[in-house]
Amino acid sequence: MENSTIQKITDDLLPQKFGKQGKLWVAFLSILCVIGFIAYCRQVYKGLVVTSMRDYVSWGIYISNFVFFVAISLVGSLITAVLRLTNAEWSTPLTRIAEIIAVSAITFASIIIVVDMGRPDRFYNLFLHGRLQSPIIWDVIVITTYFFISLLLLYFPLLPDLQILLKYKEKTSKGLYKLYSFLGSFWKNTPEQEKISNRAINILSITIIPVAFSIHTVTSWLFATTYRPGWDSTNFGAYFISGAFLVGAGAVIVAMYVFRAHYNLEKYITDSHFDKMGKVLVLLALLYLYFNVNEFLVPAFKMKKSEEEHLMGLFTGEFAAVFWFAISTAMIIPILILVFKNGRKPFPAFIAGILVVIGSWFKRYLIVTPTLLHPFLPMHDVPANYKHYFPTWEEWAIAIGSLAGALLIITIFARIFPIIPIHETIIETEQHEKA
Amino acid sequence: MNTKDNSRREFITAGVLAGLALAGCATKKSPFDPDASEGVKPSGEMVKLLSVDGEVIEVDKAFLKPVPELPAVSNDIARKGIAGKKFVMVIDLSRCKSLKKCQSACNHMHHIHPGQNWIKVYPMQDSERTAPYWEPTTCMHCDEPPCVKVCPVDATFKRQDGIVLIDSDRCIGCRFCMAACPYSARVFNWEDPGVPEEVASKPYSCESSVPQKKGTVGKCDFCPDMVRQGQLPHCVAACPNGVFAFGDILEDTVTNGAETFRFSDLIKDKAGYRLMEDLGTKPSVYYLPPVNRNFPFENNEPKEEGKKS
C-alpha cells in the first residue's frame, strides 16, 4: 500500500485537541459531575434520608441506574467478542467505541452501587465477611472480572496504535507523550509480540462472553431471587440480557454518529456501518420485545391476586404512562424506523439509538420501583410519604452526574487515544486492496 | 427461667445501683474519668461487698465506682443464641383491638426512629364478604429466612434458638434483606434515628438491637435480652389483652404473662396458622384465627384498603 494512504489514515484518526465545542461539552459534563458530587456529599452527611427512598421503596433510581449501566456495558462483549468470533469484519472500527462504553459504564455501575449503600464506610465488609451465598457477592465477583477483561480488551488492541502515537511526538503534548510511552513503549510490533497479543485477545474474547452473560444474569437475580410480584420470574435472566444487548447496541449507534460527525470520520464509519448496526438493533429489539411479552402476558393471563395490583399499575395505573413510553421508545418505534432501508441511514438510525437508550433507562426504573410499591402485606403504619416514590433533586443530580461521568470518560478517552483503531484500519485497507 | 439466674441478676442490679448511688454521693466528677479516683480521699466509711471469688470484703465507700455499662453478652454469644431453646410466638387475632400498646412499648424500648415501627398492626379483610380483623405483625423469625440468605456480609443471621438478629455494627446498608423479606418486617435508618445521647453512646448489642444506627437495617428481635433475663419480650408484656404469647417450642409452652398454654394444644384447638405458608419461609410466629372476637372491629384510622396474599 502507498505510504500516502497510510499517512492519510493516520492523520484522519489521530486524536485531536478539543475545539470550542469539545471544551464546552467537557465543561458541561464536568459541571453535572460536580453537582452530583455535591449531592452525594450531602447524602453522606445526612444519610439516605435526602433521597425519596423509604422502607417500602427501599431501592430507587440508584439501583435502576446501576442496572442500566450494567446493561449498557454488555455491548463491549457483543461488538468485540461476538462479532469478532463470528468474523464480522465490518465491526472493526466500532470495537474501541464499544469497549470504552463498556469500561466507563461498568466503572460507574460500581460507583453507583456504593452510592446506594447506607454505610459506604463499611464497604470492606464485603471482603472481610463476604458470604458466597449472597447474589451481591456473585455480582461483586463477576463485575470485577468483567471490568478487568474489558480493560484488557481495550488495552491490547491499543498497543500498535500507541506505537503510532509515539511516532508523532511533535503532535502530542509532553504529558500525553509520557502517558503513551508508559503504556506502550515496550511494544515493538515484532511478529512474536503480535502473536502473543492476538492470542490474548482471542482468549479474552471467548472468556468475556460467559462473564458478560453472568454480570447481567446475576444482576437480574438480585431481583429474581426474591418473592416479590414482578421480580419472582424465571424469565428474568434472559429478559435482562436481551435488553442489555439492545441498549448497548443503541448506545454504540449514538456514539458512532457523534464521533463520525464531530471528527469527520465518514470514510471509516460508513453508511454501511449504520445499515448493519441498524439491522442488529432491529433483531435485538425484537428479541427484547419477545421476552417482554413473556414477562407480562403470562402473569397477566392468570392475574394472581399478588401480581394483579403490580400489573394493573403498569398497564393502566400510575405507571402506565412510563410503561407504554418505555415499551414504545425502547422497542416499537426503533423497530419501525430501522426495519426500512432509509431508516438505517445515519441520522434516523441515530434517532432510533437515542430512543432506545432513553426508553431503556425508564424501563430499568419500571423494573425496580413499581414492584416495591406492591408488597405482600399492604403498606401500613408508616408516614404518608413512605407510600410514594419520586426521586429528590439529590437522587436526580447523582444519577445524572453518574451518566455525565460515564460520558466524560468516553470523551476524554477519545481525546487521548484514537477512537477508531489506526493499525487495524491500515491492515484491513491493505487486505482490501490486495483482494 | 430458673431462679439461680434470677437471683444473680438481681444481685448484680442491686450492686450496680448501690454503686451508682454511693458514687453519686462521693464525688461530682465523672466516675468514668480515670483521674477521678486519684483525688478521692478515703472517707473512713467501709462497705461490705462480695468479691468475685465469693469472699466478703470491705472497701472504703469513697472508692466505689459504678461498673460501666457493657453489653450483657459478647457478639459471639449473641450470634450463637441460647442453647437448647427454640422460641415461638403465638398471636391471637381474636383478642386484638389495635390498642397498639405493643407497638409503643417496642418503639420506646428500642428507641426506634419516630414514625417507623417494627411491630405493625394491619387492618385486614381477606375478601369482600369476610369479616375484618386486626393483624399485628412482628419479624416472623423464619426458619428459612430469605433475608439471611441474601445478606452479603452475615450482618443478619439465624441463631440456634431460632431468632433472626441484625448486627448493626456490620450491616453495610445494601437493603437486599428488605427486598427479600415478604413480610415487610424490616425498616431502615434513613437518617440518624435520634436515639438519646446516653443510649447512643453505648456499644451496640445484637440482642437488644440498641442503639439503632444511621444507614443500617433494624427489625423486631424477639427481645432476646429480656428472654435471657427470664422476662417476656416488650410487646408481650405491654399488651393488656394478652394477644401475644411467647415461649419455647421445645418446652411446648407459651405464655402471655397472665395465662400459660401448651403450644401444641393451642395451635391444634384453635387452628393456628402461619403467614404465607406457601412461600416456604417457615415462620416462628403462629396466628390464631379471629373467631369469637373479644372486641368489635372498629377502624378509626385514615381509610386504607386491607388485602391479604
Side-chain angles (χ1 to χ4, degrees), chain A residues 58 122 134 228 380-381 387, chain B residues 100 150 168 171 175 179 304:
Chain A
S58 52
R122 294 183 184 166
S134 169
R228 292 178 183 260
H380 188 67
D381 266 350
K387 298 181 187 176
Chain B
K100 294 193 168 179
V150 300
S168 283
C171 174
R175 310 190 293 291
E304 258 181 318

Side-chain angles (χ1 to χ4, degrees), chain A residues 195-435:
Chain A
K195 204 177 138 197
I196 296 172
S197 172
N198 283 338
R199 225 180 111 87
I201 292 171
N202 262 336
I203 292 170
L204 289 172
S205 302
I206 293 165
T207 45
I208 201 170
I209 294 172
V211 178
F213 271 67
S214 303
I215 60 167
H216 218 41
T217 308
V218 170
T219 302
S220 83
W221 288 348
L222 296 183
F223 307 100
T225 51
T226 71
Y227 296 97
R228 292 178 183 260
W231 290 354
D232 182 10
S233 158
T234 49
N235 189 33
F236 248 42
Y239 173 51
F240 269 48
I241 297 274
S242 59
F245 281 145
L246 172 65
V247 60
V252 165
I253 292 189
V254 174
M256 277 161 60
Y257 185 84
V258 172
F259 283 129
R260 171 177 135 127
H262 189 74
Y263 291 123
N264 305 315
L265 302 173
E266 285 81 1
K267 263 196 285 172
Y268 306 95
I269 304 176
T270 61
D271 284 13
S272 139
H273 285 108
F274 283 91
D275 183 67
K276 284 180 174 128
M277 278 306 290
K279 284 177 185 162
V280 169
L281 205 64
V282 171
L283 174 73
L284 291 170
L286 285 170
L287 194 64
Y288 192 42
L289 195 61
Y290 166 77
F291 281 112
N292 269 276
V293 171
N294 263 289
E295 187 56 33
F296 292 109
L297 187 71
V298 176
F301 188 87
K302 290 176 282 193
M303 276 299 176
K304 282 199 285 193
K305 183 109 202 291
S306 55
E307 304 261 358
E308 189 183 344
E309 269 188 59
H310 170 66
L311 289 173
M312 292 318 286
L314 292 177
F315 296 161
T316 56
E318 58 173 322
F319 295 107
V322 192
F323 180 76
W324 295 113
F325 170 81
I327 295 278
S328 45
T329 49
M331 290 163 263
I332 295 170
I333 300 174
I335 291 173
L336 291 180
I337 295 175
L338 296 169
V339 85
F340 297 104
K341 197 164 174 44
N342 278 337
R344 293 193 296 272
K345 292 241 162 71
F347 185 70
F350 165 67
I351 296 294
I354 285 190
L355 289 178
V356 165
V357 173
I358 293 174
S360 296
W361 193 91
F362 283 99
K363 190 83 175 73
R364 301 303 177 282
Y365 172 75
L366 291 172
I367 289 172
V368 176
T369 297
T371 281
L372 288 166
L373 281 168
H374 299 111
F376 284 107
L377 294 168
M379 292 192 275
H380 188 67
D381 266 350
V382 286
N385 66 335
Y386 279 40
K387 298 181 187 176
H388 307 280
Y389 176 75
F390 189 82
T392 58
W393 78 261
E394 285 92 345
E395 284 175 276
W396 285 118
I398 291 173
I400 292 171
S402 67
L403 294 167
L407 289 176
L408 196 60
I409 291 187
I410 298 169
T411 309
I412 291 174
F413 179 86
R415 162 67 191 89
I416 300 179
F417 302 104
I419 195 69
I420 310 266
I422 302 177
H423 180 72
E424 281 175 84
T425 309
I426 292 172
I427 298 224
E428 278 188 11
T429 318
E430 272 174 0
Q431 285 170 346
H432 211 69
E433 280 180 7
K434 270 183 205 160

Side-chain angles (χ1 to χ4, degrees), chain A residues 139-171:
Chain A
D139 228 5
V140 170
I141 294 169
V142 289
I143 284 183
T144 316
T145 314
Y146 188 72
F147 173 77
F148 284 109
I149 297 183
S150 297
L151 208 57
L152 291 178
L153 271 177
L154 190 62
Y155 180 52
F156 290 160
L158 199 62
L159 286 170
D161 283 4
L162 285 172
Q163 194 198 21
I164 295 170
L165 286 169
L166 284 170
K167 272 192 219 153
Y168 291 84
K169 194 175 178 180
E170 73 284 1
K171 278 194 181 176

Side-chain angles (χ1 to χ4, degrees), chain B:
Chain B
M1 291 272 149
N2 57 42
T3 46
K4 197 181 155 201
D5 258 16
N6 253 340
S7 62
R8 182 167 160 269
R9 179 178 52 79
E10 275 161 20
F11 176 78
I12 293 170
T13 317
V16 170
L17 283 177
L20 271 170
L22 290 171
C25 298
T27 173
K28 281 188 175 167
K29 274 190 176 176
S30 162
F32 301 116
D33 187 353
D35 299 333
S37 61
E38 282 174 22
V40 176
K41 291 194 180 98
S43 65
E45 208 178 321
M46 305 303 274
V47 185
K48 279 199 172 73
L49 292 173
L50 188 65
S51 79
V52 281
D53 309 323
E55 284 174 57
V56 178
I57 51 168
E58 272 195 343
V59 181
D60 192 286
K61 191 176 141 183
F63 290 114
L64 287 182
K65 281 201 291 183
V67 180
E69 244 182 289
L70 292 170
V73 294
S74 71
N75 188 278
D76 279 351
I77 294 173
R79 279 176 172 271
K80 279 194 191 108
I82 304 168
K85 299 275 179 191
K86 177 79 175 73
F87 296 109
V88 281
M89 185 179 271
V90 180
I91 298 178
D92 188 346
L93 299 176
S94 69
R95 298 179 180 217
C96 182
K97 66 178 288 192
S98 189
L99 278 178
K100 294 193 168 179
K101 298 282 183 201
C102 51
Q103 197 180 64
S104 51
C106 173
N107 292 354
H108 177 71
M109 297 310 290
H110 295 108
H111 303 282
I112 301 170
H113 179 270
Q116 288 179 308
N117 301 295
W118 290 356
I119 296 180
K120 291 178 183 149
V121 186
Y122 293 92
M124 285 300 216
Q125 190 169 13
D126 295 356
S127 72
E128 239 171 76
R129 289 170 200 274
T130 57
Y133 59 94
W134 294 104
E135 181 176 86
T137 59
T138 62
C139 169
M140 297 293 144
H141 296 277
C142 306
D143 286 344
E144 297 291 341
C147 53
V148 172
K149 263 194 214 166
V150 300
C151 179
V153 294
D154 202 18
T156 190
F157 51 88
K158 176 86 177 165
R159 315 200 306 176
Q160 58 178 339
D161 56 12
I163 297 180
V164 174
L165 291 181
I166 298 172
D167 186 344
S168 283
D169 282 335
R170 186 181 290 184
C171 174
I172 60 169
C174 69
R175 310 190 293 291
F176 199 0
C177 55
M178 299 177 74
C181 175
Y183 304 98
S184 308
R186 291 173 167 254
V187 307
F188 189 73
N189 290 302
W190 300 97
E191 62 182 333
D192 190 279
V195 182
E197 180 48 40
E198 68 271 18
V199 182
S201 58
K202 281 200 243 174
Y204 174 82
S205 157
C206 302
E207 292 212 335
S208 64
S209 303
V210 170
Q212 285 294 296
K213 294 181 175 185
K214 183 175 101 175
T216 64
V217 176
K219 68 161 188 72
C220 156
D221 56 7
F222 261 14
C223 299
D225 53 332
M226 300 304 286
V227 174
R228 249 184 226 281
Q229 296 172 21
Q231 298 192 22
L232 289 168
H234 301 299
C235 53
V236 183
C239 179
N241 296 324
V243 172
F244 301 88
F246 184 83
D248 179 358
I249 205 168
L250 302 176
E251 288 173 4
D252 200 19
T253 311
V254 288
T255 178
N256 58 24
E259 304 152 273
T260 302
F261 308 95
R262 187 161 289 280
F263 171 77
S264 51
D265 288 348
L266 189 65
I267 295 300
K268 193 170 77 185
D269 295 346
K270 299 207 168 169
Y273 64 93
R274 301 186 290 189
L275 295 187
M276 302 176 211
E277 192 71 63
D278 51 326
L279 298 183
T281 51
K282 300 183 185 154
S284 297
V285 177
Y286 290 76
Y287 284 84
L288 302 182
V291 291
N292 300 326
R293 285 210 294 281
N294 291 358
F295 312 99
F297 179 90
E298 283 166 22
N299 191 354
N300 299 320
E301 294 182 5
K303 198 165 164 58
E304 258 181 318
E305 225 177 285
K307 64 152 189 176
K308 207 181 159 193
S309 74

